[in-house]
Structure formats: C-alpha cells, structure tokens
Amino acid sequence: MAKPEDAKNLSYPYLSSDEVNEHFKAIVRNSEDAIISRTVSGIVTSWNKAAEKLFGYSAAEMVGNPMLALFPKDRLNEEFFILDLIIAGEKVDHFETIRIHRDGKLIDVSNTISPIRDSFGMIIGFSSIVRDISKRKKLERLQNQFKAIIDYSDDAIISMSLDGVIQSWNRGAEAIFGYSSDEMIGMSISHLLPPGKHDENDNILEKLKKGERVAPLESVRICKGGRPIAVSITTSAIRDAKDRIVGISKILQDITLKKYNESRLQLTSSVFSNTNEGILITDAKGTILEVNDSFLRISGYSRDDILGKTPAIFRSSRHAPKFIEAIRELLMKSGTYQGEAWSRKKDGSAYASLLTINVVKDETGEAKHYVSLISDVTPLREKQEQMEHLAHFDALTDLPNRILLADRLQQAMAHVNRHKQSLAVLYLDLDYFKEVNDNHGHNAGDQLLVTVSHRMRDALRNVDTLARIGGDEFVAVLLDVGTPVECNYLAERILHACAEPVLIDGHLLQVSASIGMTIYPQDNTDAEELMRHADSAMYQAKQAGRNRVQLFDSALESEIKNRSLQISRIAQAFDTNEFVLYYQPKVNMRLGTVFGAEALIRWLHPQRGILPPSEFLPVIENHNMEYILGYWVIETALAQIESWRGLGLAMTVSVNLCANLLLKADFIEKLTALISKYPLMNPGSLELEILETNDVQDISKILLVVKQCQPLGVGFSIDDFGTGNSSMTYLNRLPAETLKIDQSFVRDILVDHEDQAMVKGVIALAHAFKRKVIAEGVENIEIGEKLLDLGCDFAQGFGIDRPMPGDEFPTWVASWAPHDYWKNRAYIIN
Ligand code: C2E
Ligand code: CA
Ligand code: CA
C-alpha cells in the first residue's frame, strides 16, 4: 500500500520537468480513456477529449464546475466511499460503475481514481481514468440471459463434445432425466439411450460431422431409475468462430404426456366410431356437430341429414314437450341425464332407447358441448315383452295364466262397476280328463287340452278372458253379461265346444266339462272369493253328474263354510266317544218273537242331548270321517252281537251301510278283518242294509262287492225298498236276502190306497223272488195288523218300540209280548 510520502520521490530522470509536463499532457489529450482531474472539493480541473466524447460535455462546460451531473443518485455514496478510502491511504483498484451521459443515457464505465498530491504530499485533488465498457457489459448481459434461458428452460438443453461427452446439463435436463449436472457432466450421452438404440446417436453424429441438418425426431430415453420416457429431440452443431464444428447441442422435450393424450385421443376416436352405441355431439345451443356410424345405423339418417340440425328432429310424438323440458332442466342442474326415451327414425317409426346425456364444460364452467349416448333397447324391450308373456301366459295353451287372470278379473270388476254392468266368473273342470291321460298318455292329454282350450276360447267373445289355471282347470271371465239366461247360453256354448270329439293319433277322444258360475255384483264380493264361489259351484256340478253348468248358490255356500267347522267338531266327538249305537227291535208279529235289531247311530251331545243321524251324517258325507264312523258302526255292532251272544241272546243285527263305504277299495279287506276278530260268531248275525240307488254304474259296482262278500257269510238287505226307480233291477240282480219296505209307504198304508198297493206289490215281489220282507215304520197296532193281513210278518217301528241302548235290549226282549190282535192272524191272500 502506497503511503502519501512516497509521492515526494516521484522523478523522471531523462526528461526536464517541462518536457515531462508536455509529455503527460499529450498522453492525456490523446488517451482513448476519459481522463479527468478535480479538486478535493470536486471541481473539475481538467477534461480531455475522450471525456468530452464519453459524457457529451465539452471541457469548457465542465472545467471549473462540479461533476455531480455525471453521477446517478445511487452512485454518489459509492464515489464518496472510495474517495474516503483513498484519502485514508488505501490503494483502490479500478471499479465498474455507471455514469450519466449528457443525453440522459446510462453508460457502463470502469473507473480508476488516484490522488493528486502537492509537493508536500498533501492530497489536493483526484484524477479519474474512466473507460467506456458498455459494449462488453452488453455482451455480458446477453450471455447471462442466454445462460438463464438455458438454465431455466423446461426442456433439457445439453451440449456435448463431438465424441458425445456431456459438457453442459441444464435444470430442464435435471428435471426431465432426474440426474444432476454434477452426475452427468463428463458422462457419455449414450447413458440416456435405451438398449438397442445406440446407433441412433452415431447416425446423428455422422450427419452433423458432414454438415447435414438433422431433422427433429421423437424417440425414447431412459431416466434415472430406468423409467422410459418419450422425447422429442432437436440436434444442432456447435461451431467456433471459424465455423468449425466443435460440439453438439441437443434440446429434448418430455412428450410422454402428449403421447399418452394422443393415444387416448386415438382410442377415444376409435371407440367413437366402433361402439355399438349411437353418439351424438352438439354445441351449447344444441346444433349437431358430430354423430358416429352407430347413431346413423340406429336412426336411419345419413350424416348430411342431421349435421347442423338440432335433436328436435328425432323427437317422438310419444313424449310430451314437457319431457324434453324436464331433461333440459336436469342437465342444467346436475350436468347429466339418463333414462329411457322414445325416438323417431328417419322412416317415422319409433324406437326405444336408453339415453345418456352429459354436459361438457369449458374451463370457465360454461356448457360447451352436449354428448348423447343412445343405445337401441328395442331388442331388449322385445325380450322383456317375451319374458312378460311367459310370465302371464300358459306355455302349453298360450291362454292367460292365473297371474294375468287375477289382473284381468280386477280390471273387469272395475269396468262393470263404472258402467253398472255384470260379469260372470266361470270355473271349468274337464270331466274324465284323467282317463285320457291314463289311457292315451300325457302327450295325447296335452294335445287334447290345447285343442279343447282353443275351441272354448273361440266360443267366447273378444271381451271375455279364458285362462288356464291348472292341469284341466280353466276360468273364464265374461264381461257385460245380461241375465243369468244369457250367461247360461255362453256357458252352454263352452260345454258344447268342450264336448266336441278330438282326433288324436287316430283315436277319437271326447271329454266334457263341469262348470261352476257366479255373477258379479249379484254375488257381491272380492275377486278371490268370486273364484272360490265359482269353484265350489263347479264342484256341485260334478256332484250333480258332470257335463253341466251350476250357478253358485250362496245359501249352500254358507252351509259348506260351516261344514268344515262341523266336521272337526264331529271328529272331536268321535275321539271322546260321544257316538253310540241304539238298537231298534225287529220282530215276527205273527209268532211274537224278536229275531234281531237295526243298529242306529246316535250322538250323545253333551249340550244338545241325543242327536239323530240326520243331524250329523249328511255333514260328513264324502269326508274321511264318514268312513271312520262307518267302520266304527260295524265294529261296534259286532261287539254287541258278541256281547249278547255271551248272554245267550242270539240276534241278527243290521247296520246301515252308505254306498261310499261299500265302494271303497279296501272295504272287503277291512270287513274281513273285523269279522275275523269274532271266530265264534255266526257271520250271518251281521246284516248290511244297502240303500237303493238310481246310478246304474253304482248298481253294478255294488253288485260286485256284495258277491265278493258272500263267502264271508254276512247277510244283505235292501233298505228303503220301493223309493228308487231301480227296484226291479235290484231285486233281479242283488243277492240280498231281505227287502225293507220303506216307511213312507207303510205309514199311510191304512189311508192311502196307492201306498197300500205299493206295499202289496213289494210283498208279492219278495215272495216271488223268495226274499224275506220286513216293514219299517210300523207305528201302531193297526198298521201291523194290516201288514200281517198282506202277508208281511216281519216288522220294525215305534209301534213295537223305539231304538234303545244295547244294554237295555236283553231285558226288553225278555219282557216283550206281541199284541193280541197280531197273534195267530190268518193270511189273507188276495
Ligand atoms: P233307516 O235306515 O230307514 O232307519 C230307520 C229310521 O226310521 C230310524 O231313524 C228310526 O228311528 C226311524 N223309525 C223307526 N220306526 C219308526 C216309526 O214307527 N215311525 C217313524 N217316523 N220313524 C221310525 P234314525 O235312527 O233317525 O235314522 C235315520 C236314518 O239314518 C236311517 O234310516 C239310516 O238311513 C240312517 N242311519 C242311522 N244309523 C246309521 C248308521 O249307523 N250308519 C248309516 N250309514 N246310516 C245310519
Ligand atoms: Ca236302515
Ligand atoms: Ca229305511
């Protein structure tokens, strides 16, 4: 560091001081740099040519004046600071700063300030050498900018030597590839190449060396960690001042996302054109911008037909304008709509579509496009309709099934309610259909069902419904029927349709139908109950002999309703032994002997007293209870015979046998088992009273059973003889030993000549056919007298005595004596 005293030693040995002075002046004058001197207080003392040029002020303007105008405000402190340093004796190197040109422009300068001392070494002023460095500074700034651009670019900007060694690696490169510049500078660029791509770089290098331009290319590079990315690469040569290629620069862009978007777009567009769904795109106003081929296929329009139009052209008349409004509103609210809609094809026909509309919004949230997806669900609908058909129609006959019937009946009821009409519900059951199935097979049965059901349907009117609700059961609902007569007419038509023979597999098959019918609202109840009523009437039609129509009778119905209650009460009574047999004596009036008794059932009802069979037997008719009670009667009568036998009383006991029991398949077996319980008993002590019947079929069956029973030794009698039409047939064919003249003839024998004639006839018949004849209902002595006169010795009736409990019977037998009038009466044969 120079001390102020050193200035005193300043000397120039070869020149005089004047010469020195001139010399310096010349240097100053001709200097390229501005050379300025000033006093300590800052007044300019000299201002050379270069200063004039640099600052734009002439020497005349500056010398003698302060040079403050040259300083930007913020540089004044810097100047004072440096001057202070110099005064303090510090040596200050040149520094770079800024000054102001006369025209106001800032100038970059380098400044060297030195002190001027007097001969005593005191600082009396300062000299400045100021050099214009604007050009260099500009260049420097430019370079810095370039560097910044390169540094801060998102793209990777990499320079390398001709042999591929990386020289620079910017932040973009760091971001894209994940390597820091420290890691990469000095490495080979081939580090970034995926395996198998090494010649890519070599080819580029070759081209560059030959001075050829290398077109930008898209390729793949590998990042730190091995992740491949798609890049676009621009390669250029780096040349020196003499235009020699000294290196290579590469700019790489990560285009992975762009590539992904591109492929997505490609996918989207292939979906757009290949999907089965119709796609329609409109702008915000609803103008159609684009449709895909599927849409054209579904709608039948061509692209030219619809581009530029609005979807209003597809609107089906099936939708009210409100429907479109509703969709629009929903779109506004939620941005999406989905639902089924009907649309119109070009040819005007309608098709069902599943419609999805989505709003596509721009960045500001404004609706930009509407994208509609349309799938034609017409085939689906058809399938659905098919399924619905299956669910509602019988597969065999294609008639409505039970489910649809319920629906139709409800509707029909509502209809007749509105129009004050009537409807009829008919319950149909085919007669003898089981036989067809059994004898000809189920296929034939099915064919018969199909044919017969279609004939029945054809016999009805269009407004009527015929449904199949079970194997051979059908229900018809007839609308707007007038009188029951009209109704009957329709039902008769069905009967006829049914009874027509059907030719199946060469066989002529024939069935008939039993129809139960009820009429609404005369039968004022609900649908379910109407069906039940028609069903129960059908059952009555069957009972009445089939192939007929039976109108539902509500009085009968309520009786049936009670029936099940009564049956359960009877079953309970049976369990608690409330049933007993009473015995009514049968006597020989002429001889005055008791030869037997008729067993008659009684119910010893705890509340109602002794109930006659008419109170409960009809209730259990055709019910299982009838058989249970029937066998019980036989068993009880057998036990009674046996018990009397034990007392030395040999009695023939007759029991009343209902035809149903007799005709049961296991009857003979059961009867045999019961009798075999009493091996010591004469089986002939048991007599079965069978009622006369009019059913010819039943007669033959009864005949068969009776014949099969004969080996058992039990006796048979025909009860209530003379009441049926088939008495002669019976007498002819039935091997029954006894005829019981019905009490209705006996009762009036004294007053009614016809009855008397009838009784006479029966007695004569009995004698002719060598049968025993017994009169029942002998209420008094006179009747008995008359019977004896007519040749009938055997009698039963209140005139002899009423039915009595079994344990009273032996005493009664012992005490009974015939009337004097009856004894020893002569036969009157006429
Ligand atoms: P039924 O076989 O004709 O029996 C004779 C009925 O006439 C008996 O009535 C008897 O009490 C009644 N009776 C007897 N003598 C006279 C008389 O002089 N005047 C009048 N008015 N009636 C007389 P009950 O016991 O009420 O039986 C009625 C019907 O019930 C019987 O008619 C028979 O068909 C049936 N029945 C009775 N017990 C049984 C039974 O155990 N099983 C079956 N299946 N039916 C029975
Ligand atoms: Ca009887
Ligand atoms: Ca009788």
Side-chain angles (χ1 to χ4, degrees), residues 598 656 689 691 719-720 740-743 776:
E598 179 179 5
N656 295 281
E689 295 189 10
L691 276 179
D719 207 353
D720 298 352
K740 293 189 83 170
I741 309 174
D742 190 61
Q743 51 180 299
E776 59 180 9

mmCIF file of all heavy atoms in Angstrom, residues 598 656 689 691 719-720 740-743 776, ligand 3:
data_model
loop_
_atom_site.group_PDB
_atom_site.id
_atom_site.type_symbol
_atom_site.label_atom_id
_atom_site.label_comp_id
_atom_site.label_asym_id
_atom_site.label_seq_id
_atom_site.Cartn_x
_atom_site.Cartn_y
_atom_site.Cartn_z
ATOM 1 N N GLU A 598 -132.061 -103.327 14.414
ATOM 2 C CA GLU A 598 -131.307 -102.461 13.490
ATOM 3 C C GLU A 598 -130.468 -101.513 14.338
ATOM 4 O O GLU A 598 -130.976 -100.889 15.280
ATOM 5 C CB GLU A 598 -132.234 -101.658 12.574
ATOM 6 C CG GLU A 598 -131.431 -100.745 11.637
ATOM 7 C CD GLU A 598 -132.293 -99.934 10.665
ATOM 8 O OE1 GLU A 598 -133.538 -99.989 10.767
ATOM 9 O OE2 GLU A 598 -131.711 -99.238 9.812
ATOM 10 N N ASN A 656 -126.608 -99.965 8.890
ATOM 11 C CA ASN A 656 -126.806 -99.191 7.656
ATOM 12 C C ASN A 656 -125.434 -98.873 7.050
ATOM 13 O O ASN A 656 -124.544 -98.379 7.718
ATOM 14 C CB ASN A 656 -127.555 -97.907 7.963
ATOM 15 C CG ASN A 656 -128.966 -98.196 8.464
ATOM 16 O OD1 ASN A 656 -129.866 -98.481 7.685
ATOM 17 N ND2 ASN A 656 -129.133 -98.166 9.784
ATOM 18 N N GLU A 689 -127.410 -103.275 5.548
ATOM 19 C CA GLU A 689 -128.529 -102.653 4.835
ATOM 20 C C GLU A 689 -127.970 -101.690 3.790
ATOM 21 O O GLU A 689 -127.239 -100.762 4.102
ATOM 22 C CB GLU A 689 -129.437 -101.897 5.821
ATOM 23 C CG GLU A 689 -130.125 -102.816 6.806
ATOM 24 C CD GLU A 689 -131.187 -102.082 7.628
ATOM 25 O OE1 GLU A 689 -131.506 -100.913 7.279
ATOM 26 O OE2 GLU A 689 -131.673 -102.663 8.613
ATOM 27 N N LEU A 691 -128.777 -99.048 0.670
ATOM 28 C CA LEU A 691 -129.831 -98.199 0.115
ATOM 29 C C LEU A 691 -129.956 -98.454 -1.371
ATOM 30 O O LEU A 691 -128.975 -98.700 -2.062
ATOM 31 C CB LEU A 691 -129.495 -96.726 0.340
ATOM 32 C CG LEU A 691 -129.866 -96.139 1.701
ATOM 33 C CD1 LEU A 691 -129.436 -94.694 1.756
ATOM 34 C CD2 LEU A 691 -131.368 -96.254 1.932
ATOM 35 N N ASP A 719 -132.456 -101.525 1.763
ATOM 36 C CA ASP A 719 -133.151 -100.574 2.634
ATOM 37 C C ASP A 719 -134.067 -99.699 1.793
ATOM 38 O O ASP A 719 -133.807 -99.470 0.611
ATOM 39 C CB ASP A 719 -132.085 -99.714 3.341
ATOM 40 C CG ASP A 719 -132.607 -99.203 4.678
ATOM 41 O OD1 ASP A 719 -133.798 -99.395 4.976
ATOM 42 O OD2 ASP A 719 -131.780 -98.614 5.423
ATOM 43 N N ASP A 720 -135.086 -99.174 2.440
ATOM 44 C CA ASP A 720 -135.984 -98.213 1.784
ATOM 45 C C ASP A 720 -136.449 -98.712 0.419
ATOM 46 O O ASP A 720 -136.528 -97.932 -0.532
ATOM 47 C CB ASP A 720 -135.290 -96.841 1.623
ATOM 48 C CG ASP A 720 -134.924 -96.237 2.964
ATOM 49 O OD1 ASP A 720 -135.340 -96.790 4.006
ATOM 50 O OD2 ASP A 720 -134.210 -95.222 2.965
ATOM 51 N N LYS A 740 -136.490 -104.235 2.734
ATOM 52 C CA LYS A 740 -137.140 -103.441 3.771
ATOM 53 C C LYS A 740 -138.082 -102.478 3.082
ATOM 54 O O LYS A 740 -137.646 -101.604 2.338
ATOM 55 C CB LYS A 740 -136.099 -102.681 4.607
ATOM 56 C CG LYS A 740 -135.210 -103.610 5.445
ATOM 57 C CD LYS A 740 -134.349 -102.824 6.417
ATOM 58 C CE LYS A 740 -135.119 -102.490 7.674
ATOM 59 N NZ LYS A 740 -134.205 -101.941 8.717
ATOM 60 N N ILE A 741 -139.377 -102.646 3.333
ATOM 61 C CA ILE A 741 -140.337 -101.745 2.705
ATOM 62 C C ILE A 741 -140.188 -100.392 3.380
ATOM 63 O O ILE A 741 -140.231 -100.285 4.617
ATOM 64 C CB ILE A 741 -141.785 -102.258 2.883
ATOM 65 C CG1 ILE A 741 -141.857 -103.728 2.441
ATOM 66 C CG2 ILE A 741 -142.761 -101.401 2.094
ATOM 67 C CD1 ILE A 741 -143.231 -104.341 2.738
ATOM 68 N N ASP A 742 -140.047 -99.377 2.562
ATOM 69 C CA ASP A 742 -139.796 -98.056 3.112
ATOM 70 C C ASP A 742 -140.963 -97.590 3.950
ATOM 71 O O ASP A 742 -142.129 -97.802 3.620
ATOM 72 C CB ASP A 742 -139.534 -97.061 1.985
ATOM 73 C CG ASP A 742 -139.044 -95.751 2.543
ATOM 74 O OD1 ASP A 742 -137.976 -95.757 3.201
ATOM 75 O OD2 ASP A 742 -139.741 -94.725 2.343
ATOM 76 N N GLN A 743 -140.620 -96.873 5.037
ATOM 77 C CA GLN A 743 -141.648 -96.465 5.989
ATOM 78 C C GLN A 743 -142.628 -95.461 5.397
ATOM 79 O O GLN A 743 -143.762 -95.331 5.872
ATOM 80 C CB GLN A 743 -141.040 -95.950 7.274
ATOM 81 C CG GLN A 743 -139.977 -94.880 7.094
ATOM 82 C CD GLN A 743 -139.445 -94.433 8.441
ATOM 83 O OE1 GLN A 743 -140.191 -93.932 9.275
ATOM 84 N NE2 GLN A 743 -138.148 -94.650 8.671
ATOM 85 N N GLU A 776 -140.763 -101.372 7.795
ATOM 86 C CA GLU A 776 -140.280 -100.483 8.859
ATOM 87 C C GLU A 776 -141.260 -99.336 8.995
ATOM 88 O O GLU A 776 -142.023 -99.044 8.078
ATOM 89 C CB GLU A 776 -138.847 -99.993 8.576
ATOM 90 C CG GLU A 776 -138.679 -99.239 7.275
ATOM 91 C CD GLU A 776 -137.248 -98.773 7.056
ATOM 92 O OE1 GLU A 776 -136.352 -99.174 7.832
ATOM 93 O OE2 GLU A 776 -137.031 -98.009 6.107
HETATM 94 CA CA CA B 3 -135.138 -97.406 5.932
#
